[in-house]
Amino acid sequence: MNLRDHQEPPTAHWRDDPGAPFRLTRADAGVQLGTSRDGRVVTLPAGPAPTRVAVLGESLFGRLFGLRMLAVGARVTAATRVPDQWRPLARVAGDRLTIADRVTAWPTLPPAPPAQEGGPQALVCDLRRPPPATLANGPWRTVLHVTRDAPRRSYFWSAPDALLALDARFADTTGRLLGAEAARLTATLAPGEVILFRPTGTEILRPDISPAETTLLTPGRA
């Protein structure tokens, strides 16, 4: 091809309209949880705002959430009663994952935006007692507690930023925490569905778990 024989580009006319509005809006970004009944992606925020997440279900969900927080650049601390089930994640996460049998001094590094020293910090706890709610005070902090039975006197559970129930059998507990309508909705969950309650609304979804995640989350398969 002779570069001197190229075609002239088409003429474009730009309309300069000083009255046209121009706005920047925040993207709906965060840790992906799954897909709603109408096909939308459902996420939990993973950003500068402090976040407390309460989960009614099995400790497997805590490991899934921890894995996805690692994927978005966070450092994760697991306060867990099943440390061996976190070992496959530890082998790939290196020093970005800390495993402990109790909630100790956390965070170990000052929370910061991604790519800065410390980076975002996440605490995932599956112990019987929830972590102190005040641990989530401050930017770039996410604290999650997962249990099969929510404590009856817990500030962490009285005002979480998000509450998930991972099965219809948690309807009674959800009702105790959030009222009769929440119990009714939880009772409608089909097998494999979970429900997410937030101040902005309620979502019923199916978690999306890739084969690679299944391998890391299932002891003996990594």
Side-chain angles (χ1 to χ4, degrees), residues 63 80-89 91 99 216 218-220:
R63 299 196 299 279
T80 178
R81 54 187 171 78
V82 286
D84 288 346
Q85 295 183 5
W86 285 84
R87 301 302 178 196
L89 274 69
R91 287 196 289 270
I99 303 173
L216 286 172
T218 306

Side-chain angles (χ1 to χ4, degrees), residues 52 54 130-135 137 151-161:
R52 290 192 300 268
T134 54
L135 288 182
N137 292 350
R152 290 185 176 271
R153 295 179 180 85
S154 166
Y155 179 70
F156 188 100
W157 279 82
S158 68
D161 299 294

Side-chain angles (χ1 to χ4, degrees), residues 134-216:
T134 54
L135 288 182
N137 292 350
W140 299 106
R141 301 179 186 217
T142 302
V143 179
L144 179 144
H145 183 231
V146 54
T147 180
R148 289 189 292 269
D149 189 20
R152 290 185 176 271
R153 295 179 180 85
S154 166
Y155 179 70
F156 188 100
W157 279 82
S158 68
D161 299 294
L163 187 147
L164 290 106
L166 307 187
D167 194 278
R169 71 179 185 272
F170 297 112
D172 288 345
T173 305
T174 304
R176 170 167 61 83
L177 294 166
L178 299 178
E181 179 62 12
R184 184 190 69 79
L185 289 172
T186 305
T188 69
L189 293 177
E193 289 185 328
V194 306
I195 189 166
L196 167 65
F197 299 96
R198 288 183 288 194
T200 55
T202 301
E203 301 270 11
I204 294 177
L205 60 129
R206 286 186 177 273
D208 298 328
I209 304 178
S210 70
E213 288 177 319
T214 300
T215 299
L216 286 172

Side-chain angles (χ1 to χ4, degrees), residues 26-33 43-51 53 65 68-74 112-114 119-122 139-143 198:
R26 187 178 63 181
D28 185 17
V31 174
Q32 180 173 340
L33 294 179
T43 64
L44 277 178
T51 304
V53 183
F65 186 80
R68 293 187 175 176
M69 289 299 293
L70 288 166
V72 298
Q121 302 282 328
W140 299 106
R141 301 179 186 217
T142 302
V143 179
R198 288 183 288 194

Side-chain angles (χ1 to χ4, degrees), residues 6-33:
H6 68 274
Q7 296 181 346
E8 290 292 329
T11 301
H13 298 281
W14 179 264
R15 187 181 68 179
D16 188 6
D17 184 359
F22 179 78
R23 298 185 180 89
L24 294 176
T25 59
R26 187 178 63 181
D28 185 17
V31 174
Q32 180 173 340
L33 294 179

